[in-house]
Amino acid sequence: VKTLDEMGRKIQLQVSTIQKAEKKYRSIFENSIEGIYQSTPEGRILSANPAYAQILGYESPEALISAITDIGSQHWVEPEHRNTFVKMIQQGKTVLGFETKLYRKDGKVIWISTNARPVYDSSGNLLHSEGMVQDITRRKKTETQLQRLSTAVEQVADNIFITNDQGHIAYVNPAFEKSTGYMLNDLDGQNPDLLGADFREAALYSQILQVVTRGEVWTGRITNKRKNGELFIVETSASPILDNYGQFLGYVAVNRDVTEKIKYEDQLRQAQKMEAIGTLAGGIAHDFNNILGVIIACSELAMENIPDKNIAKTDLEKVLEAGLRAKSLVKQILTFSRQDE
């Protein structure tokens, strides 16, 4: 009797321990934020936790298990992915980080990542697979957006550089390398002020860092120097990069080479000056023509009443000659001031 009592206590202790372990693992199974499942190679779900049911859009694991008879045809978007997955399980392989698209119950397409392994009976026959599923739809969307943004930055015509939180260069795009002659390896970890044409221009980069550190945007023109020493002018827009908590992570500077633009602006200003001079000259020339008309006409009339040998007539001839030369000059000014070729 004593021996049987001792055996009974041991059995009761073992049962209690098993019940506690079962309760512990059942809690993990039920409350896991990742989907946990067991399924046959044919695609029938044997067991599932609430998270897995929620990922596929079912109200409960029971509803999911009763509704799915072949998960491959009912939920997998790409059958060839399902075939690859099943083949790996049948070959006894452990599947890690297998990413694919699934249809939810409502028809919405989601991305999932699954880890799975085969489970065998005592004779080595494949019983089922078991694994964990994570909904990575948001991550995939973020990756797509980042890839699109990266492609845009890589292909944009403006030269761009990005700094770390210390204001040191951490990235430059291909347009920057082409424009400046500096490769990323040349500038990685360097202060952008080395791009400045002189100490005054280099000091602007310190101003930029001060402004963007306050969370503000800096815009202006900077004269930079290429690797070969050639000077060029850029219009710069520097914007801070902040995390979700407002912490400063660095800044991105978008630079547009405006060297040619400024040259054309100078040419345009010069042309506008010439146009203004032409307008002014035209106005003056008309008035001056009137004055010359009086001088020439009066000179000719006076010469008719003066004898040829009179010295005054010689002087009037010189006045008339000068007047005619002035008239020719005024004619040239009027030609210049017209809006013609």
Side-chain angles (χ1 to χ4, degrees), residues 21-39:
E22 195 277 337
K23 184 178 180 181
K24 174 183 176 182
Y25 291 113
R26 172 57 58 179
S27 176
I28 294 173
F29 181 80
E30 295 290 337
N31 297 314
S32 173
I33 61 174
E34 293 188 344
I36 303 174
Y37 69 92
Q38 290 179 325
S39 71

Side-chain angles (χ1 to χ4, degrees), residues 34-105:
E34 293 188 344
I36 303 174
Y37 69 92
Q38 290 179 325
S39 71
T40 66
E42 295 75 28
R44 186 167 55 87
I45 303 297
L46 300 176
S47 66
N49 70 339
Y52 188 57
Q54 184 180 18
I55 287 172
L56 291 180
Y58 291 89
E59 298 78 14
S60 65
E62 293 76 19
L64 180 145
I65 291 171
S66 63
I68 295 178
T69 57
D70 180 5
I71 192 171
S73 61
Q74 290 176 257
H75 285 280
W76 285 61
V77 175
E78 298 169 291
E80 60 273 15
H81 280 200
R82 174 65 182 173
N83 294 336
T84 301
F85 176 82
V86 172
K87 187 175 181 180
M88 292 173 71
I89 293 296
Q90 290 174 337
Q91 290 174 347
K93 296 179 181 179
T94 298
V95 181
L96 298 175
F98 190 92
E99 296 183 359
T100 191
K101 290 183 285 188
L102 297 182
Y103 291 114
R104 281 170 50 94
K105 180 184 176 183

Side-chain angles (χ1 to χ4, degrees), residues 96-341:
L96 298 175
F98 190 92
E99 296 183 359
T100 191
K101 290 183 285 188
L102 297 182
Y103 291 114
R104 281 170 50 94
K105 180 184 176 183
D106 58 9
K108 180 182 177 182
V109 176
I110 60 171
W111 275 94
I112 61 101
S113 174
T114 182
N115 300 325
R117 70 181 184 90
V119 177
Y120 301 93
D121 61 15
S122 57
S123 301
N125 299 313
L126 178 65
L127 290 175
H128 58 262
S129 64
E130 60 184 17
M132 302 181 72
V133 172
Q134 183 180 11
D135 187 342
I136 60 170
T137 306
R138 181 176 295 180
R139 192 193 83 193
K140 278 290 184 179
K141 187 180 293 185
T142 302
E143 287 176 355
T144 301
Q145 291 173 343
L146 287 174
Q147 185 177 12
R148 188 179 295 117
L149 177 61
S150 175
T151 302
V153 171
E154 290 287 318
Q155 297 183 3
V156 73
D158 294 336
N159 69 63
I160 297 173
F161 69 84
I162 300 174
T163 74
N164 58 20
D165 58 348
Q166 301 298 313
H168 298 152
I169 295 174
Y171 168 83
V172 299
N173 71 336
F176 182 97
E177 295 178 334
K178 182 178 179 181
S179 174
T180 65
Y182 287 104
M183 300 294 107
L184 178 58
N185 292 337
D186 301 326
L187 298 174
D188 191 17
Q190 298 291 327
N191 195 310
D193 61 8
L194 64 83
L195 298 170
D198 53 39
F199 72 92
R200 289 182 297 272
E201 298 296 324
L204 291 175
Y205 286 100
S206 298
Q207 294 181 21
I208 291 175
L209 183 58
Q210 293 174 8
V211 171
V212 295
T213 303
R214 298 196 299 265
E216 301 172 6
V217 176
W218 187 95
T219 58
R221 284 181 175 177
I222 304 176
T223 301
N224 282 338
K225 183 168 57 178
R226 305 187 204 274
K227 190 174 183 180
N228 62 9
E230 180 184 349
L231 301 183
F232 67 106
I233 303 170
V234 294
E235 283 183 349
T236 299
S237 176
S239 304
I241 302 172
L242 307 176
D243 63 14
N244 294 332
Y245 304 99
Q247 187 73 26
F248 179 72
L249 301 178
Y251 70 88
V252 54
V254 180
N255 305 311
R256 176 165 295 178
D257 191 335
V258 293
T259 308
E260 289 298 315
K261 177 185 174 184
I262 291 174
K263 184 174 74 174
Y264 293 138
E265 286 176 351
D266 291 340
Q267 291 176 354
L268 176 60
R269 277 194 295 270
Q270 191 64 27
Q272 289 171 337
K273 286 180 184 178
M274 295 298 292
E275 183 179 359
I277 291 172
T279 303
L280 177 64
I284 294 174
H286 281 295
D287 290 338
F288 197 50
N289 244 350
N290 295 332
I291 297 171
L292 288 174
V294 174
I295 293 173
I296 293 170
C298 291
S299 297
E300 289 176 340
L301 289 172
M303 287 172 61
E304 289 179 359
N305 299 319
I306 298 176
D308 293 339
K309 295 182 180 180
N310 194 312
I311 193 170
K313 189 170 185 177
T314 303
D315 292 336
L316 285 172
E317 287 175 349
K318 292 179 180 179
V319 171
L320 180 60
E321 184 183 352
L324 292 173
R325 284 204 309 270
K327 184 179 179 180
S328 176
L329 179 59
V330 169
K331 184 179 179 181
Q332 293 180 45
I333 293 173
L334 285 171
T335 301
F336 167 77
S337 65
R338 292 193 190 102
Q339 301 299 319
D340 294 329
E341 295 270 342

